[in-house]
Amino acid sequence: MNTYRGAPALLTDMYELTMVDAALTAEKASGTPVASRLSTFEIFGRRLPHDRRYGVVVGTGRLLDHLQNFRFTDEQVDFCSGFLSEETLEWMRNFRFSGSISGYREGDLYFPGSPILTLQGTFAECQVLETLALSVLNHDCAIGTAAARMAAAADGRAIIEMGARRTHEESAVASARAAYIAGFSSTSDMAAGYRWSIPVGGTSAHSFTLLHTSNNQPDEKAAFRHQVEAMGTDTTLLVDTYDITQGVANAIEVAGPQLGGVRIDSGDLGVLARQVRQQLDSLGAHNTHIVVSGDLDEYSIAALRAEPVDAYGVGTSLVTGSGAPTAELVFKIVEVDGQKVAKRSSHKETRGGSKQGFRTSRATGTMVSEIVTPLGAAAPDTGTLNCDKLTIDYVVDGEVQQNLPTLDDARSLLYDNLKQLPWEGLSLSRGEPAIPTQFVGF
């Protein structure tokens, strides 16, 4: 399924095309391969944003969807005709990615230097994918990492994604997908549910309660009654439009003690949750859940861990990466015709050579280190430590591989990975990466 409603090939920077143009022009003029030189590009991060302890790989599935539809339409080629040579325009008309892509699974963890994604093919066909690949992965990895921190802070309680009204409409869908992989239980975004089969949920906003006003007199019970009639007593009623204590009383009067839940969207959520829990119990609604929302992030979720909260709703902080809206990943050429190439720019150095990743762990399952070796090399000798290969093939000779990990596979993988982090790896404070990255064979 193509998650972009148009043709994705022009989701790119102009300089991707001008580089291809220069390479093709040079190749034609000299007869020396330039655009067609076999090249390897790598996506990795030099650091983790905000000194976080780990990153989460998300977005590869979306990128592969785009790749399968990455074609330049006649209209797009015409649009570029004013600044590209005829050779390049013809190349665009015939473009099909024929190279190979390997990388980490969605739901896996990454650390500084991890070869998250490796593209091998001609210079031209790989270079033209840079902007799209970074656009998808920088966004989705950032959202997935923030969401994983929030889900970990929720400590097993349900957490709901509800950020669609706080970001671009397509970013909302991608964010919901990333959040689901990271452990969120559902999303409010219908497009995300439709495209990715993510559980959806929603009830009502304050506007529905305020609608039930007549002769300047609010009628909260009428609003609750109409919602229950439509959705059943298992619904969740929003009880803080007016006075929250009266709101809870009205909710139970209308729905009875079997009411599914009440939601609190404002105020001191910890104090209010305790008060509401006591009131619900006094009314016999012992099984009625309390859902809280309103500018939550991983820190406020962690602060509410001791309170009688059953579920959290997160919006703005989720879709903005909780302060880190990009994963700061880069796309760099690391090999040309089998020869290692590397930047030497100050603070922007790269390590040449095609790469693959392994992870070591103790017999207990606790992670110890990430080991990066040349692509295709045998697994490193790690003694008594377990050593698992992280890199898999996604595309071989232009063909997307079959039986790739599903969304639920990614969700399960991340769940297992977070359990295997050293205990300090789940800390919300700034610090060093949870495990070190070692380079062997370079």
Side-chain angles (χ1 to χ4, degrees), residues 7-242:
L10 284 192
L11 291 175
T12 190
D13 287 310
M14 182 176 177
Y15 86 161
E16 313 292 5
L17 294 173
T18 55
M19 278 190 282
V20 170
D21 189 53
L24 288 168
T25 300
E27 189 165 292
K28 180 184 179 183
S30 66
T32 302
V34 180
S36 59
R37 295 188 75 178
L38 183 61
S39 304
T40 300
F41 288 81
E42 178 185 313
I43 296 178
F44 65 96
R46 293 188 175 94
R47 64 191 67 84
L48 296 173
H50 289 197
D51 296 324
R52 290 176 174 172
R53 308 305 180 96
Y54 61 86
V56 179
V57 179
V58 185
T60 313
R62 289 209 307 121
L63 179 59
L64 292 176
D65 278 349
H66 280 310
L67 182 64
Q68 294 182 84
N69 294 280
F70 198 96
R71 308 284 188 271
F72 292 96
T73 66
D74 291 339
E75 292 81 4
Q76 290 174 335
V77 174
D78 290 343
F79 172 75
C80 298
S81 62
F83 64 93
L84 297 176
S85 66
E86 183 54 42
E87 288 76 20
T88 301
L89 297 176
E90 186 63 20
W91 178 87
M92 293 168 65
R93 292 186 187 98
N94 297 318
F95 179 85
R96 300 291 187 274
F97 182 74
S98 64
S100 298
I101 299 176
S102 61
Y104 286 21
R105 295 171 176 84
E106 286 197 281
D108 216 333
L109 303 183
Y110 73 89
F111 302 93
S114 296
I116 296 172
L117 206 67
T118 298
L119 294 83
Q120 294 181 307
T122 67
F123 172 82
E125 68 180 340
C126 291
Q127 184 66 65
V128 78
L129 295 176
E130 175 185 12
T131 299
L132 178 60
L134 285 181
S135 177
V136 170
L137 292 178
N138 264 319
H139 175 270
D140 290 19
C141 290
I143 304 305
T145 300
R149 287 160 56 88
M150 294 174 189
D155 197 27
R157 301 179 195 182
I159 184 164
I160 306 160
E161 189 282 312
M162 49 176 62
R165 291 165 295 141
R166 299 292 186 264
T167 189
H168 182 277
E169 65 272 15
E170 286 296 330
S171 296
V173 181
S175 295
R177 181 183 185 277
Y180 182 69
I181 288 175
F184 277 51
S185 55
S186 62
T187 178
S188 65
D189 190 276
M190 292 301 295
Y194 173 71
R195 293 187 198 174
W196 301 107
S197 299
I198 298 170
V200 294
T203 51
S204 67
H206 292 292
S207 60
F208 186 75
T209 302
L210 293 169
L211 171 68
H212 293 77
T213 300
S214 180
N215 298 322
N216 294 320
Q217 295 298 315
D219 191 349
E220 188 175 51
K221 283 193 280 188
F224 290 167
R225 183 170 59 255
H226 290 158
Q227 182 176 328
V228 170
E229 288 172 352
M231 301 181 186
T233 56
D234 196 41
T235 191
T236 297
L237 298 175
L238 183 59
V239 294
D240 66 343
T241 303
Y242 306 114

Side-chain angles (χ1 to χ4, degrees), residues 146-338:
R149 287 160 56 88
M150 294 174 189
D155 197 27
R157 301 179 195 182
I159 184 164
I160 306 160
E161 189 282 312
M162 49 176 62
R165 291 165 295 141
R166 299 292 186 264
T167 189
H168 182 277
E169 65 272 15
E170 286 296 330
S171 296
V173 181
S175 295
R177 181 183 185 277
Y180 182 69
I181 288 175
F184 277 51
S185 55
S186 62
T187 178
S188 65
D189 190 276
M190 292 301 295
Y194 173 71
R195 293 187 198 174
W196 301 107
S197 299
I198 298 170
V200 294
T203 51
S204 67
H206 292 292
S207 60
F208 186 75
T209 302
L210 293 169
L211 171 68
H212 293 77
T213 300
S214 180
N215 298 322
N216 294 320
Q217 295 298 315
D219 191 349
E220 188 175 51
K221 283 193 280 188
F224 290 167
R225 183 170 59 255
H226 290 158
Q227 182 176 328
V228 170
E229 288 172 352
M231 301 181 186
T233 56
D234 196 41
T235 191
T236 297
L237 298 175
L238 183 59
V239 294
D240 66 343
T241 303
Y242 306 114
D243 177 77
I244 191 169
T245 301
Q246 187 60 53
V248 171
N250 289 340
I252 300 305
E253 180 181 339
V254 168
Q258 68 272 28
L259 175 65
V262 296
R263 179 161 73 95
I264 308 169
D265 191 49
S266 58
D268 188 326
L269 297 177
V271 171
L272 291 174
R274 291 196 298 273
Q275 294 176 352
V276 168
R277 181 74 270 160
Q278 292 174 357
Q279 185 180 4
L280 288 171
D281 290 345
S282 71
L283 295 171
H286 302 287
N287 295 320
T288 299
H289 290 168
I290 297 175
V291 182
V292 297
S293 58
D295 297 323
L296 295 178
D297 60 15
E298 61 264 51
Y299 302 103
S300 53
I301 291 171
L304 289 167
R305 192 177 293 169
E307 307 296 349
V309 173
D310 299 291
Y312 307 89
V314 186
T316 303
S317 290
L318 184 280
V319 298
T320 58
S322 195
T326 174
E328 300 182 17
L329 304 176
V330 295
F331 181 103
K332 300 299 176 185
I333 190 168
V334 294
E335 198 168 280
V336 176
D337 290 335

